[in-house]
């Protein structure tokens, strides 16, 4: 936040949310947004004036600015970081230095002679009004252009100025249409045909145009014309078209097109079943007295149709609706279903969108073109001005939390705040609610609505626990699969049904090890083993992206006995294709879905029945609805349980239930096989019984005893420095100060980070537990800000970085 003076002439126009140009530092010209208008001049410095106002209308509304202030304060970051995350970079302005000729300069009368290179620049400026530094480099073919420009400025031959540019570029098409006079009368058109007689190329273009645009019957159509590229698509020559334009038959014009597809709605919302209707009515009753409602509906219970009905009602009342999804790419099915009903009034805010596409959604919300947006977590920043409803689907999803960079916000929690500012309602939906939300519902803070049966005749899947150790003893384990799993898969394949195999990604990946000296590849700048990527024959670091080719012999001892350890999805896919050579395999993980449409392609193939067995990580658990999947295998159930985190139990319950929920979503009951070395564990029993409440109740006992959310608030502070000693010292200094802050409950640490070094930075983590009261948190944050500032003024800690994560997950 910086304070600027409002010059007299700009005072009448000043409004919160307008973009302005200001000078920053000595030279830089930046754009900023007006966040507050006040009359308290800063004490420490003389405020500079605002140079200019860029907009007639604010591009950010007061509700957004209020939301930004809240986010900066709650998540302990700068308002600038929130602003940066909020505004698509296409709407930010960039400034670039440009040069132009000094109009007062005259070569003839100048006191200072120019050298050859300087003259060249001036010549270029006669042809082009302005040049960038790169242009000048190119003209002269030299890299160091500064001395030359400096000399030209000194000789008063050129001026250097800052050019501020909008980065967003609308997509423009060149279109072709008939000159208006030929559309008016049939005779005129006939005359043209006579004129092009014997010129088959021109005739062909003309005929093609009339085929696409039947101007005889619908003269109005000519106005829009056709895209030039499509007119020339079938190999017609561009020069013939040029001749037709030159001869005044056609004219070409520019047209701005939408990057985002316009699709019309093509179906009505489904009629709700009587159970769905009851849930719908309950939600609305709760909304009368509560801002938020938790919809706890088992997988396949038909939550989406209930959302659709609610969205329709809110849109009809004239308010806006935002629906958050954890990852759009992973939920294309739901987006497709919504698109069918809402058509072109629905905007989609994708994480893989280009910046120009984001700007179009942003502008679509501003102009009212999209009263309804479905989007990923960053869509909470869109310029809504009258939200009536915010839906957070799969509200338990960890990916709603942003880790890096700041603001490290949780989109569900932020969405509830956003809705509060708009006086809108929030609906949280999940088959496996987060403990935070369920706790709030239990406390009566949220309304609670349950759907405990699947839609239609579908029943919930049946579970089987399969003992890996027992099978190994009896020699029944083949390529890490138990006999039971193989039988179930075989049975499904025999019936032309489909199978999904799930392998947990978290905290685990395959690596290469030397069998003789147990060497493993390590990242050169992080404290982690490199992950084995079979397809690319590489070892890669998942933290910094460092990679190297797999060595043919051990770099430590020279042995050629290198073996792969662990089971990534690639290995599982390979094992299964050996076991079921006739089955068609597919794999869905980060590697196979990196491209924008990779995920969609796999889903389409799976839907079309071109894949029999789909192996995948977390991605395959998200909202997929395929009727022919009857068997789901969980490859390594133990891996899901063993994670060193207070949320491990909660996450395991969610994950197993969600994966299992992909099975048997229509008339045939699904079967879920969990492979485990220790199948008697209690958690498995709980998931199988589906007794969420009992599971929650027991976990809460521990959470309360050991002070974990939802009973306390957590703040994690990471201390980072390139030097291990300094990092440790700084972390302890912080820790010591923190222990003196009265409001905290407990301070844990500092501990070496789970990964002690990332990108050559050593890390130490402290965990602070606070009472849930808002006042406690503000006092704590004020103290924290002061402590960090004081520590940063200690010379040896100057380059230490402190990263504060509120509500870490
Ligand atoms: P959830 O989101 O709760 O997992 P879905 O909304 O995907 O459940 O619904 C499961 C299946 O039931 C989908 O195939 C959906 O099309 C169908 N379905 C749900 N409600 C209705 C309804 N009212 N009419 C027709 N089909 C429905
Ligand atoms: Zn070795
Ligand atoms: Zn690394």
């Amino acid at each position: 936040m910086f304070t600027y003076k409002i010059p007299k002439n700009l005072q009448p126009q000043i409004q919160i949310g307008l973009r302005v140009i200001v000078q920053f530092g000595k030279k830089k010209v930046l754009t900023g947004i007006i966040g507050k208008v006040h009359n308290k001049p800063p004490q420490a410095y003389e405020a500079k004036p605002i140079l200019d106002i860029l907009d007639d209308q604010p591009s950010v509304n007061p509700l957004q600015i209020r939301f930004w202030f809240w986010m900066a304060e709650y998540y302990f970051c700068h308002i600038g970081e929130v602003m940066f995350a909020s505004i698509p970079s296409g709407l930010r302005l960039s400034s670039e230095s440009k040069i132009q000729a000094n109009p007062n300069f005259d070569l003839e009368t100048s006191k200072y002679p120019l050298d050859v290179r300087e003259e060249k620049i001036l010549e270029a400026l006669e042809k082009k009004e302005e040049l960038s530094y790169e242009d000048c480099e190119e003209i002269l073919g030299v890299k160091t252009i500064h001395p030359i420009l400096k000399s030209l400025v000194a000789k008063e031959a050129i001026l250097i100025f800052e050019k501020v540019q909008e980065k967003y570029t609308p997509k423009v098409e060149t279109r072709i249409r008939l000159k208006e006079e030929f559309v008016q009368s049939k005779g005129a058109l006939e005359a043209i045909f006579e004129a092009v007689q014997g010129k088959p190329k021109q005739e062909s273009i003309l005929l093609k145009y009339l085929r696409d645009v039947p101007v005889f019957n619908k003269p109005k159509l000519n106005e829009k014309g056709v895209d030039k590229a499509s007119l020339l698509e079938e190999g017609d020559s561009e020069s013939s078209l040029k001749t037709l334009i030159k001869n005044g038959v056609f004219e070409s014009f520019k047209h701005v097109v939408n990057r985002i597809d316009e699709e019309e709605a093509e179906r009505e919302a489904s009629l709700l079943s009587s159970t769905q209707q009851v849930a719908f009515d309950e939600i609305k009753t709760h909304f009368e007295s509560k801002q938020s409602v938790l919809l706890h509906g088992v997988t396949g219970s038909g939550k989406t149709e209930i959302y659709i009905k609610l969205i329709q009602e809110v849109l009809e009342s004239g308010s806006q609706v935002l629906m958050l999804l954890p990852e759009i790419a992973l939920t294309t099915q739901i987006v497709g279903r919504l698109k069918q009903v809402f058509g072109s009034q629905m905007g989609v805010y994708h994480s893989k969108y280009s910046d120009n596409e984001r700007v179009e959604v942003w502008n679509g919300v501003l102009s009212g073109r999209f009263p309804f947006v479905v989007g990923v977590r960053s869509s909470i920043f869109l310029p809504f001005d009258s939200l009536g409803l915010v839906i957070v689907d799969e509200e338990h999803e960890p990916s709603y939390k942003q880790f890096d960079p700041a603001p490290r916000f949780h989109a569900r929690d932020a969405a509830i705040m956003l809705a509060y500012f708009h006086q809108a309602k929030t609906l949280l939906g999940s088959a496996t609610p987060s403990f935070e939300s369920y706790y709030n519902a239990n406390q009566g803070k949220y309304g609670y609505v349950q759907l405990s049966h699947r839609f239609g005749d579908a029943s919930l899947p049946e579970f089987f626990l399969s003992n890996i150790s027992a099978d190994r003893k009896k020699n029944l384990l083949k390529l890490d699969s138990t006999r039971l799993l193989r039988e179930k898969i075989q049975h499904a394949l025999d019936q032309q049904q489909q199978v999904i195999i799930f392998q947990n990604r978290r905290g685990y990946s395959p690596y290469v090890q030397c069998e003789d000296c147990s060497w493993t590849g390590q990242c050169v700048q992080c404290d982690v083993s490199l992950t084995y990527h079979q397809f690319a024959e590489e070892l890669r670091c998942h933290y910094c992206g460092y990679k190297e080719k797999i060595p043919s012999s051990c770099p430590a001892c020279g042995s050629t006995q290198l073996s792969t350890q662990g089971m990534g999805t690639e290995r599982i896919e390979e094992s299964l294709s050996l076991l079921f050579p006739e089955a068609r395999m597919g794999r869905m993980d980060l590697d196979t879905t990196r491209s924008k449409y990779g995920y969609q392609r796999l889903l389409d193939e799976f839907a079309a029945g071109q894949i029999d067995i789909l192996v995948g990580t977390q991605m395959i658990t998200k909202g997929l609805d395929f009727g022919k999947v009857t068997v789901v295998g969980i490859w390594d159930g133990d891996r899901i349980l063993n994670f060193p985190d207070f949320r491990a139990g909660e996450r395991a319950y969610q994950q197993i239930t969600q994966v299992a929920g992909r099975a048997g979503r229509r008339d045939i009951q699904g079967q879920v096989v969990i492979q485990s070395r220790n199948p008697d564990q209690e958690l498995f029993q709980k998931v199988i019984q589906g007794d969420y409440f009992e599971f929650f109740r027991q976990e809460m006992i521990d959470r309360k005893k050991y002070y974990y959310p939802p009973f306390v608030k957590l703040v994690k502070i990471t201390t980072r420095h390139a030097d291990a000693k300094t990092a440790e010292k700084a972390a302890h200094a912080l820790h010591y100060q923190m222990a003196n802050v009265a409001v905290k409950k407990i301070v844990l640490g500092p501990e070496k980070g789970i990964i002690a070094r990332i990108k050559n930075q050593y890390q130490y983590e402290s965990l602070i537990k606070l009472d849930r009261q808002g006042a406690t948190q503000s006092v704590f944050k004020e103290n924290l800000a002061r402590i960090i500032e004081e520590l940063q003024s200690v010379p040896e800690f100057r380059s230490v970085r402190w990263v504060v994560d509120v509500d870490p997950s």
Side-chain angles (χ1 to χ4, degrees), residues 3-7 9-10 14 19-23 34 47-53:
T3 304
Y4 285 87
K5 249 194 313 221
I6 310 170
N9 62 330
L10 296 182
I14 283 292
R19 293 183 303 171
V20 292
I21 304 185
V22 293
Q23 192 178 342
I34 298 179
K48 287 184 188 133
I50 288 171
L51 299 177
D52 206 354
I53 298 180

Side-chain angles (χ1 to χ4, degrees), residues 113-276:
L114 301 186
D115 70 20
V116 186
R117 292 198 290 193
E118 292 169 348
E119 265 180 27
K120 259 197 173 160
I121 298 281
L122 277 200
E123 262 168 40
L125 281 173
E126 274 166 26
K127 292 191 208 104
K128 227 174 136 193
E129 220 165 279
E130 58 187 53
L131 297 173
S132 67
Y133 286 14
E134 289 89 64
D135 292 338
C136 298
E137 284 170 12
E138 213 171 284
I139 291 164
L140 298 182
V142 296
K143 270 271 151 237
T144 44
I145 198 80
H146 265 278
I148 300 164
L149 295 184
K150 240 172 97 183
S151 154
L152 277 169
V153 171
K155 292 174 182 171
E156 296 176 350
I158 62 165
L159 300 170
I160 295 186
F161 66 104
E162 292 290 313
K163 176 141 187 170
V164 180
Q165 286 177 314
E166 293 252 12
K167 284 194 215 155
Y168 169 68
T169 45
K171 186 171 168 185
V172 179
E173 241 174 40
T174 305
R175 297 184 75 89
I176 303 291
R177 65 181 165 215
L178 276 178
K179 274 284 189 60
E180 195 56 27
E181 61 247 45
F182 300 112
V183 185
Q184 309 295 353
S185 87
K186 241 178 172 164
L189 203 56
E190 274 160 12
I192 309 177
F193 269 106
E194 265 162 40
V196 298
Q197 230 177 26
K199 294 169 188 142
K201 285 182 185 164
Q202 295 182 27
E203 196 173 21
S204 150
I205 294 178
L206 200 56
L207 283 171
K208 180 130 166 274
Y209 182 84
L210 292 173
R211 186 192 70 200
D212 292 350
V213 189
V215 294
F216 286 126
N217 306 329
K218 298 177 185 153
K220 265 252 160 248
L221 283 181
N222 188 57
E223 244 166 68
K224 275 180 111 177
V226 296
D227 178 23
K228 179 177 164 195
S230 78
L231 194 60
L232 297 177
E233 216 163 53
E234 287 158 32
D236 283 310
S237 89
E238 177 150 16
S239 63
S240 309
L241 178 61
K242 272 198 184 135
T243 313
L244 284 168
I245 293 173
K246 203 177 75 205
N247 295 344
V249 177
F250 282 117
E251 62 184 357
S252 87
F253 63 103
K254 301 278 182 210
H255 174 73
V256 177
V257 284
N258 293 322
R259 283 192 176 79
I260 293 155
D261 295 347
E262 291 275 1
E263 274 168 61
E264 289 312 314
E266 50 193 56
R267 76 168 176 108
E268 298 277 311
S270 314
L271 275 182
L272 296 186
S273 70
S274 56
T275 350
Q276 283 171 323

Side-chain angles (χ1 to χ4, degrees), residues 337-395:
R337 274 163 70 186
L338 294 167
K339 195 97 208 173
Q340 284 173 357
V341 178
F342 295 102
S344 56
Q345 35 170 355
M346 173 177 128
V348 179
Y349 205 68
H350 210 288
S351 56
K352 286 185 177 166
Y353 265 179
S354 72
D355 213 76
N356 281 327
E357 286 167 320
R358 279 163 197 254
V359 174
E360 290 201 10
V361 181
W362 178 285
N363 289 338
V365 171
L366 268 187
S367 69
R369 175 178 161 209
F370 298 134
F372 172 35
V373 173
V374 178
V376 292
R377 60 173 184 246
S378 50
S379 54
I380 56 174
F381 296 120
L382 288 167
F384 299 106
D385 58 8
S386 62
L387 280 170
L389 175 67
V390 180
I391 297 173
V392 185
D393 192 27
E394 311 287 356
E395 64 87 28

Side-chain angles (χ1 to χ4, degrees), residues 422-459:
H422 283 258
Q423 299 189 315
K425 303 294 174 192
T426 322
L427 181 64
L428 310 176
S430 175
T432 51
S434 65
F435 280 6
E436 278 89 346
S437 298
Y438 195 71
Y439 177 81
N440 281 329
N442 249 290
Q443 299 283 308
K445 197 172 156 200
Y446 298 168
Y448 178 74
V449 176
Q450 198 171 11
L451 279 170
S452 42
H453 294 284
R454 282 189 159 175
F455 176 79
D457 296 329
S459 46

Side-chain angles (χ1 to χ4, degrees), residues 16 356 684:
I16 288 182
N356 281 327
F684 289 135

Side-chain angles (χ1 to χ4, degrees), residues 270-271 276 300-305 337 455 625 665-666:
S270 314
L271 275 182
Q276 283 171 323
S301 56
K303 295 185 285 295
T304 316
E305 296 300 325
R337 274 163 70 186
F455 176 79
D625 183 38
R665 291 171 70 92
R666 301 290 186 275

